Each structure stands twice: as C-alpha cells, then as structure tokens.
Amino acid sequence: MAMELGCTFSTSIATPEHIRIAEELGYVSAWCHYSPAIYADPWMMLAMASERTTRIGLGVAVVVPRFRHVADVASSAATLTQLAPGRVTVAVGSGFSSTALLGGRGVTWASVEAFVTNLRTLLAGGRIELDGRAMSLLHTEESGISVPADVPIWVAAHGPKAFGVASRVADGVITNPTHGNEKIPFEGTCGLSYYGTVLEPGETFDDPAVIERVGPTAALALHMGPYGPLAGSVEEKGYTARINDLPEAERPVATHRGHLISLTDLDREFLNGNVVRDGTLSGTAAEVRAGLDALQEAGASRFCYTPAGPDIPRELEAFAKAFGL
C-alpha cells in the first residue's frame, strides 16, 4: 500500500489557512501540535480550519493526560467531529516539550493507556469510573453535539512501552524517525512525523535561506543531544555542553523553548548545514523522495510533514511536489 502524505503544524493563528492550502495540495491529514506554553490552541485552530476545508483529516497531536481532563478532551473531540464529520483524529502521548515548558514531566505509559481507554469509552457514549466517581458525556440534542462520536485515537509512540500500549489500545501510532531507524514495531497504521526542506537549484545546506526555512525543526536534532541523530558531532557536543553549563532547573526550558516553531540564540550558535543535512529530511526533490521511500520501507504508512520557517505555503507545496502529489 502506498504511503500517504499528511502534515503536522506547530500551531499558530495562521494554521487554519495553512490547512486550507494543504488540502488544495492533496495532503490527506493536518494535525496540530499541542503545547500550551508556545503554540496557539489547536482545538480553536482546527475548528476554524473545518470551515475552510471539506476533505482533509483534522487532528490534535498530542494530547497529554497531565493537562486536560479526559471528559474535556472527549467533549472537544465530539464538538470538532460535529463540525467536520468523519475527519477527526486524536493522538495521545506521555508528554515531551509541552510538559518540559511548563515545569513538569511526562506521565507514565500506564496513565496514557488508561486515558485512551477512558476517552474511547466516553466518545462511544459509555460511562467510566474515575477518581471514585462515575461519569459520562451527557450532551443532549439541544447542544448540537452527537454522542457516540466516531473518533480514531492514536498514540504517540517511542520505545517498547509506548508501542506495547499502542498495540493494545490505539487505532494508529505517530512516531519520529529520530528516535531510531529500526522497523516500526506496530502492525496498524503508522504515521512518521518529520521535517525538512526541498532545496532550490543551486542551494546548499549552509545557505542562509535554507537555515531560516528549516532551522526551527532542524534545531530539534540539537535538543536531543547525545540521544539524537547528531550524537557525537561537533555541533551536538557544543550545544550539549552549553546546556549542561546552565543550572539544572533551567535546562528543560532552555532546550525546548521555541520547539519546532522558532529559533533561540543558542540554537543559532550551533545550527549549520551539517545539522540540516543530518538532522532533517532535506535535499533536492529526488533526495527527499529517496528518503521517503526508505521510511516507507521501515513501515510508515503516512508521512506527516512538519513545515517551518517564514513561508509555510512554499514548504507545503515544495514537499508535496517532491512526494509526487
């Protein structure tokens, strides 16, 4: 089965328009990142996008149980489904940058599994037991919300525990190839969320324009330090050393500030063509297509492209062409 092309956005006020453009270009899905400290609210932006589109799938990636009550998420998903019937997906994860930026840590995978199970039950119109109390969605016809609501639930999976949870309760998984290049241990639908830029004729990875286009996403490879694709490189060692010079309490925010959407001064100090080349899927259209083929071989059924930089429409169009849309 041929791999599909979707997109994920570091959610901004401009995202609804970018989702409209993505639909015109042939992307099958558009999911909004959820990180309360740095992004616009994904549910609001997706509701606006639902009015500008008719076909493209809409989703939030990822919901973290620490931030919202499961009934709140169920109500939001049911509401969005009413606006965009048959097009809504919710992805649930344990937390990464979103929790770090608010001074917290991710939740356990057991908590993620319980959250997914309860969310599915609520959306199906059932009753759950939580904190010693029974609860369910009680929307009536007057609210305009229909329950049960058919909403696929995916899990943002990285590592054996996460994939184990996904195999038990998820309709699909979304993951990231920077966490390893082994074959994806999941039998169902798998989306790979990644980023890069398509080079114009004559451009190189070091060109300032290229750095600006892909920099906010390329910087994640620096943020992952010795556990990411740049492990052992001069750039990674320099960045990691600077982070480790900070007081321990300041490191999570310094690392994740501007995650996938903007660059910090520290990012710019170590961001260069080597980081773009080794930390993103960037290159000529043919090189990008070859990279996509390798990811499909590893088990990806959907590539979820995350555009960045000052001209998101340009990035969406260039990547769609390289994909073959």
Side-chain angles (χ1 to χ4, degrees), residues 125-169:
R127 176 179 294 187
I128 65 172
E129 296 284 338
L130 191 63
D131 298 327
R133 299 182 60 184
M135 62 188 68
S136 59
L137 296 185
L138 303 175
H139 297 81
T140 63
E141 182 179 349
E142 290 76 11
S143 72
I145 307 301
S146 296
V147 178
D150 184 15
V151 179
I153 304 172
W154 290 29
V155 164
H158 308 292
K161 288 184 179 180
F163 281 108
V165 169
S167 68
R168 292 190 292 273
V169 300

Side-chain angles (χ1 to χ4, degrees), residues 4 32 46 141 144 192 205 237 256 260 285 315 317 321:
E4 302 174 318
C32 287
L46 289 169
E141 182 179 349
L192 278 183
F205 295 121
K237 288 181 178 179
H256 299 296
L260 299 178
E315 299 304 294
E317 182 175 3
K321 288 180 178 178

Side-chain angles (χ1 to χ4, degrees), residues 151-222:
V151 179
I153 304 172
W154 290 29
V155 164
H158 308 292
K161 288 184 179 180
F163 281 108
V165 169
S167 68
R168 292 190 292 273
V169 300
D171 297 306
V173 298
I174 185 165
T175 187
N176 187 307
T178 60
H179 292 263
N181 57 7
E182 297 180 358
K183 194 166 182 65
I184 298 163
F186 185 76
E187 295 300 323
T189 304
C190 176
L192 278 183
S193 178
Y194 208 39
Y195 25 80
T197 191
V198 180
L199 301 183
E200 300 286 354
E203 281 188 327
T204 68
F205 295 121
D206 274 313
D207 283 356
V210 173
I211 297 293
E212 290 306 310
R213 290 205 305 264
V214 75
T217 50
L220 178 57
L222 292 170

Side-chain angles (χ1 to χ4, degrees), residues 4 11-12 18 44 55 86 91 108 111-112 139 150 156 158 160 188-189 192 208 214 216-217 220 236 240 271 282:
E4 302 174 318
T11 318
S12 73
H18 295 156
M44 292 184 185
R55 174 193 57 79
T108 66
S111 297
V112 171
H139 297 81
D150 184 15
H158 308 292
T189 304
L192 278 183
V214 75
T217 50
L220 178 57
E236 179 273 313
T240 301
L271 187 60
S282 298

Side-chain angles (χ1 to χ4, degrees), residues 20-83:
R20 183 194 67 78
I21 293 169
E23 180 176 83
E24 286 189 350
L25 291 169
Y27 287 80
V28 300
S29 62
W31 292 7
C32 287
H33 293 157
Y34 175 48
S35 186
I38 54 175
Y39 300 147
D41 183 85
W43 299 103
M44 292 184 185
M45 297 305 103
L46 289 169
M48 293 174 65
S50 73
E51 298 179 339
R52 306 185 190 195
T53 58
T54 60
R55 174 193 57 79
I56 194 167
L58 305 173
V60 176
V62 297
V63 169
V64 179
R66 183 181 300 280
F67 291 144
R68 299 186 66 182
H69 194 283
V70 65
D72 188 25
V73 174
S75 179
S76 293
T79 301
L80 187 58
T81 296
Q82 203 70 35
L83 300 175

